Amino acid sequence: MQPTGSRQMQQTVAKLMPQFMENSFVKGIATGSLSRAVVVNYVQQDNLYLDRFLTLYQQVLGALNPSLLEQTEHDIQRENGAHRVLLQVAQTTTDQIMTPLPAVKQVTGAYLEHMERATEQSVFLGLASMQACPAVYRELAQRLVQQGVNRADNPFAGWINFYVGTDDDFDHTMFHELDQLSPTVMAAERQQAQQVFRKSCELELAFFTQAKDDD
Protein backbone atom coordinates (compact mmCIF):
# COMPACT_ATOMS: atom_id res chain seq x y z
CA MET A 1 0.00 0.00 0.00
CA GLN A 2 1.32 3.42 -0.98
CA PRO A 3 2.05 5.54 2.10
CA THR A 4 0.14 8.78 2.51
CA GLY A 5 1.73 12.02 1.37
CA SER A 6 2.45 13.02 4.94
CA ARG A 7 4.03 9.66 5.67
CA GLN A 8 6.33 10.04 2.66
CA MET A 9 7.32 13.47 3.95
CA GLN A 10 8.08 12.08 7.39
CA GLN A 11 10.21 9.40 5.76
CA THR A 12 12.11 12.14 3.94
CA VAL A 13 12.82 13.89 7.24
CA ALA A 14 13.99 10.62 8.78
CA LYS A 15 16.36 9.94 5.87
CA LEU A 16 17.88 13.42 6.12
CA MET A 17 18.08 13.50 9.90
CA PRO A 18 21.59 11.96 10.13
CA GLN A 19 22.85 14.99 8.22
CA PHE A 20 21.10 17.30 10.66
CA MET A 21 22.58 15.49 13.65
CA GLU A 22 26.08 15.91 12.15
CA ASN A 23 25.54 19.61 11.40
CA SER A 24 27.93 21.83 13.34
CA PHE A 25 25.14 24.12 14.57
CA VAL A 26 23.11 21.20 15.88
CA LYS A 27 26.19 19.71 17.49
CA GLY A 28 26.76 23.06 19.18
CA ILE A 29 23.21 22.97 20.54
CA ALA A 30 23.82 19.44 21.80
CA THR A 31 27.09 20.31 23.54
CA GLY A 32 26.06 23.78 24.69
CA SER A 33 29.03 25.26 22.89
CA LEU A 34 27.66 27.69 20.30
CA SER A 35 29.40 31.04 20.29
CA ARG A 36 27.49 34.26 20.86
CA ALA A 37 28.09 35.30 17.24
CA VAL A 38 26.51 32.10 15.93
CA VAL A 39 23.50 32.45 18.22
CA VAL A 40 22.95 36.04 17.11
CA ASN A 41 23.35 35.11 13.43
CA TYR A 42 20.79 32.36 13.80
CA VAL A 43 18.19 34.40 15.69
CA GLN A 44 18.52 37.38 13.36
CA GLN A 45 17.90 35.26 10.28
CA ASP A 46 15.18 33.22 11.96
CA ASN A 47 13.33 36.41 12.84
CA LEU A 48 13.47 37.49 9.20
CA TYR A 49 12.39 34.04 8.08
CA LEU A 50 9.48 33.73 10.51
CA ASP A 51 8.12 37.15 9.66
CA ARG A 52 7.65 36.09 6.03
CA PHE A 53 6.70 32.53 6.98
CA LEU A 54 3.77 33.82 9.05
CA THR A 55 2.57 36.00 6.17
CA LEU A 56 2.66 33.06 3.76
CA TYR A 57 1.00 30.80 6.31
CA GLN A 58 -1.81 33.30 6.77
CA GLN A 59 -2.20 33.48 2.99
CA VAL A 60 -2.33 29.71 2.53
CA LEU A 61 -4.46 28.79 5.53
CA GLY A 62 -6.71 31.78 4.96
CA ALA A 63 -7.56 30.29 1.57
CA LEU A 64 -7.75 26.68 2.71
CA ASN A 65 -9.13 26.66 6.22
CA PRO A 66 -9.76 30.01 7.97
CA SER A 67 -10.93 28.34 11.18
CA LEU A 68 -7.72 26.30 11.37
CA LEU A 69 -5.74 29.48 10.78
CA GLU A 70 -7.35 31.02 13.87
CA GLN A 71 -6.47 27.92 15.90
CA THR A 72 -2.84 27.60 14.84
CA GLU A 73 -1.57 31.07 13.98
CA HIS A 74 -0.45 31.64 17.55
CA ASP A 75 1.76 28.52 17.38
CA ILE A 76 4.04 30.28 14.91
CA GLN A 77 4.02 33.51 16.91
CA ARG A 78 5.09 31.55 20.00
CA GLU A 79 8.38 30.73 18.31
CA ASN A 80 9.86 33.67 20.21
CA GLY A 81 9.89 31.33 23.21
CA ALA A 82 12.73 29.41 21.59
CA HIS A 83 14.41 32.67 20.68
CA ARG A 84 14.27 33.85 24.27
CA VAL A 85 16.37 30.86 25.32
CA LEU A 86 19.03 31.73 22.75
CA LEU A 87 18.93 35.44 23.50
CA GLN A 88 19.42 34.76 27.18
CA VAL A 89 22.51 32.70 26.39
CA ALA A 90 23.81 35.50 24.17
CA GLN A 91 22.91 38.09 26.81
CA THR A 92 21.06 40.29 24.35
CA THR A 93 17.55 41.18 23.22
CA THR A 94 15.53 41.08 20.04
CA ASP A 95 15.55 44.86 19.77
CA GLN A 96 19.32 44.98 20.10
CA ILE A 97 20.05 42.41 17.41
CA MET A 98 17.30 43.53 15.00
CA THR A 99 18.13 47.26 15.12
CA PRO A 100 19.09 48.21 12.53
CA LEU A 101 17.37 45.46 10.56
CA PRO A 102 20.02 42.94 9.47
CA ALA A 103 20.40 41.94 5.84
CA VAL A 104 18.75 38.79 4.61
CA LYS A 105 21.49 36.21 4.09
CA GLN A 106 21.71 34.03 1.00
CA VAL A 107 20.16 30.84 2.39
CA THR A 108 17.38 32.75 4.15
CA GLY A 109 16.53 34.52 0.91
CA ALA A 110 16.62 31.29 -1.10
CA TYR A 111 14.37 29.55 1.41
CA LEU A 112 11.83 32.39 1.39
CA GLU A 113 11.85 32.53 -2.41
CA HIS A 114 11.31 28.76 -2.54
CA MET A 115 8.21 29.00 -0.33
CA GLU A 116 6.91 32.03 -2.19
CA ARG A 117 7.24 30.26 -5.57
CA ALA A 118 5.48 27.19 -4.22
CA THR A 119 2.65 29.30 -2.81
CA GLU A 120 2.25 31.13 -6.10
CA GLN A 121 1.77 27.79 -7.86
CA SER A 122 -0.87 26.49 -5.44
CA VAL A 123 -1.87 26.55 -1.80
CA PHE A 124 -1.20 22.80 -1.64
CA LEU A 125 2.41 23.26 -2.73
CA GLY A 126 2.73 26.29 -0.48
CA LEU A 127 1.67 24.28 2.55
CA ALA A 128 4.06 21.47 1.59
CA SER A 129 6.94 23.95 1.36
CA MET A 130 6.20 25.33 4.83
CA GLN A 131 5.59 21.99 6.52
CA ALA A 132 9.27 21.03 6.42
CA CYS A 133 10.09 23.57 9.13
CA PRO A 134 7.92 22.15 11.95
CA ALA A 135 8.58 18.58 10.79
CA VAL A 136 12.35 18.99 10.95
CA TYR A 137 12.39 20.81 14.27
CA ARG A 138 10.11 18.29 15.94
CA GLU A 139 12.15 15.30 14.79
CA LEU A 140 15.43 17.04 15.57
CA ALA A 141 14.34 17.94 19.09
CA GLN A 142 13.10 14.41 19.74
CA ARG A 143 16.43 12.95 18.70
CA LEU A 144 18.34 15.38 20.88
CA VAL A 145 16.16 14.39 23.82
CA GLN A 146 16.83 10.73 23.06
CA GLN A 147 20.53 11.54 23.30
CA GLY A 148 19.92 13.09 26.70
CA VAL A 149 21.55 16.39 25.77
CA ASN A 150 18.71 18.50 27.19
CA ARG A 151 20.30 18.13 30.60
CA ALA A 152 20.14 20.94 33.13
CA ASP A 153 23.72 22.10 32.55
CA ASN A 154 23.18 22.62 28.81
CA PRO A 155 22.30 26.31 28.25
CA PHE A 156 20.32 25.31 25.14
CA ALA A 157 18.17 22.71 26.92
CA GLY A 158 15.22 25.10 26.88
CA TRP A 159 15.51 25.44 23.11
CA ILE A 160 15.37 21.66 22.69
CA ASN A 161 12.50 21.29 25.14
CA PHE A 162 10.56 24.07 23.44
CA TYR A 163 10.38 22.19 20.15
CA VAL A 164 9.60 18.88 21.81
CA GLY A 165 6.81 20.49 23.80
CA THR A 166 5.16 22.79 21.28
CA ASP A 167 5.66 21.63 17.70
CA ASP A 168 4.14 18.17 17.96
CA ASP A 169 0.45 19.11 17.72
CA PHE A 170 1.09 21.78 15.08
CA ASP A 171 3.17 19.34 13.04
CA HIS A 172 0.49 16.64 13.07
CA THR A 173 -2.26 19.16 12.33
CA MET A 174 -0.50 20.42 9.23
CA PHE A 175 0.30 16.90 8.01
CA HIS A 176 -3.37 16.03 8.48
CA GLU A 177 -4.34 19.08 6.44
CA LEU A 178 -2.02 18.00 3.62
CA ASP A 179 -3.51 14.51 3.61
CA GLN A 180 -7.02 15.96 3.53
CA LEU A 181 -6.10 18.11 0.54
CA SER A 182 -4.16 15.42 -1.31
CA PRO A 183 -7.15 13.72 -3.01
CA THR A 184 -8.28 17.08 -4.42
CA VAL A 185 -5.13 17.61 -6.52
CA MET A 186 -3.66 15.77 -9.48
CA ALA A 187 -1.06 13.03 -9.02
CA ALA A 188 1.60 15.21 -10.65
CA GLU A 189 1.04 17.94 -8.07
CA ARG A 190 1.20 15.43 -5.23
CA GLN A 191 4.56 14.28 -6.55
CA GLN A 192 5.71 17.87 -6.90
CA ALA A 193 4.70 18.49 -3.29
CA GLN A 194 7.12 15.76 -2.20
CA GLN A 195 9.91 17.45 -4.16
CA VAL A 196 9.02 20.86 -2.75
CA PHE A 197 9.00 19.44 0.77
CA ARG A 198 12.41 17.81 0.35
CA LYS A 199 13.88 21.03 -1.00
CA SER A 200 12.61 22.85 2.07
CA CYS A 201 14.25 20.23 4.30
CA GLU A 202 17.54 20.75 2.48
CA LEU A 203 17.21 24.50 2.95
CA GLU A 204 16.55 23.96 6.65
CA LEU A 205 19.86 22.15 6.88
CA ALA A 206 21.61 24.93 4.97
CA PHE A 207 19.96 27.47 7.27
CA PHE A 208 21.64 25.90 10.29
CA THR A 209 24.99 25.84 8.49
CA GLN A 210 24.58 29.48 7.50
CA ALA A 211 24.51 30.52 11.16
CA LYS A 212 28.10 29.35 11.57
CA ASP A 213 29.43 30.63 8.25
CA ASP A 214 30.37 34.00 9.73
CA ASP A 215 31.71 32.64 13.00
Side-chain angles (χ1 to χ4, degrees):
M1 183 176 178
Q2 180 75 9
T4 63
S6 68
R7 184 59 185 156
Q8 291 181 60
M9 290 175 179
Q10 289 168 322
Q11 290 171 350
T12 294
V13 172
K15 289 176 182 177
L16 292 173
M17 197 49 53
Q19 295 180 51
F20 280 91
M21 298 306 292
E22 288 300 312
N23 182 270
S24 59
F25 179 90
V26 175
K27 283 187 171 182
I29 288 285
T31 59
S33 59
L34 291 179
S35 71
R36 183 182 187 278
V38 169
V39 170
V40 169
N41 281 338
Y42 171 84
V43 177
Q44 284 177 330
Q45 294 304 303
D46 207 34
N47 274 323
L48 296 170
Y49 168 87
L50 287 170
D51 182 62
R52 184 57 182 151
F53 183 99
L54 180 58
T55 299
L56 289 170
Y57 182 79
Q58 291 167 335
Q59 178 182 336
V60 168
L61 263 290
L64 290 175
N65 193 334
S67 62
L68 184 59
L69 172 60
E70 292 180 8
Q71 297 172 32
T72 59
E73 187 176 11
H74 70 285
D75 290 333
I76 300 171
Q77 295 169 330
R78 287 173 60 197
E79 192 101 14
N80 61 11
H83 287 175
R84 283 197 297 271
V85 174
L86 301 181
L87 292 171
Q88 183 175 0
V89 174
Q91 298 182 326
T92 188
T93 66
T94 300
D95 287 344
Q96 287 175 340
I97 68 170
M98 299 304 291
T99 306
L101 196 67
V104 175
K105 292 182 181 291
Q106 182 177 359
V107 173
T108 308
Y111 198 171
L112 293 173
E113 289 173 6
H114 169 67
M115 293 189 295
E116 287 164 355
R117 285 195 303 269
T119 302
E120 287 171 359
Q121 292 180 70
S122 75
V123 291
F124 183 67
L125 293 178
L127 185 57
S129 74
M130 289 184 280
Q131 177 56 18
C133 182
V136 164
Y137 274 79
R138 178 186 62 82
E139 182 66 20
L140 180 62
Q142 287 182 343
R143 296 203 181 201
L144 290 171
V145 168
Q146 289 169 3
Q147 290 184 353
V149 299
N150 60 328
R151 58 192 181 277
D153 63 344
N154 184 344
F156 302 114
W159 186 90
I160 299 168
N161 294 335
F162 176 89
Y163 288 110
V164 170
T166 63
D167 266 19
D168 195 45
D169 288 342
F170 181 78
D171 184 46
H172 284 115
T173 298
M174 292 304 103
F175 272 139
H176 176 74
E177 188 70 12
L178 280 164
D179 283 340
Q180 291 292 105
L181 284 168
S182 185
T184 71
V185 303
M186 301 293 288
E189 187 170 356
R190 291 196 294 271
Q191 182 59 37
Q192 187 179 0
Q194 295 297 326
Q195 297 167 354
V196 163
F197 179 86
R198 183 183 178 90
K199 180 63 175 179
S200 288
C201 290
E202 293 169 349
L203 286 164
E204 283 288 344
L205 182 60
F207 189 87
F208 284 137
T209 301
Q210 174 182 252
K212 296 206 72 174
D213 283 347
D214 296 335
D215 186 28

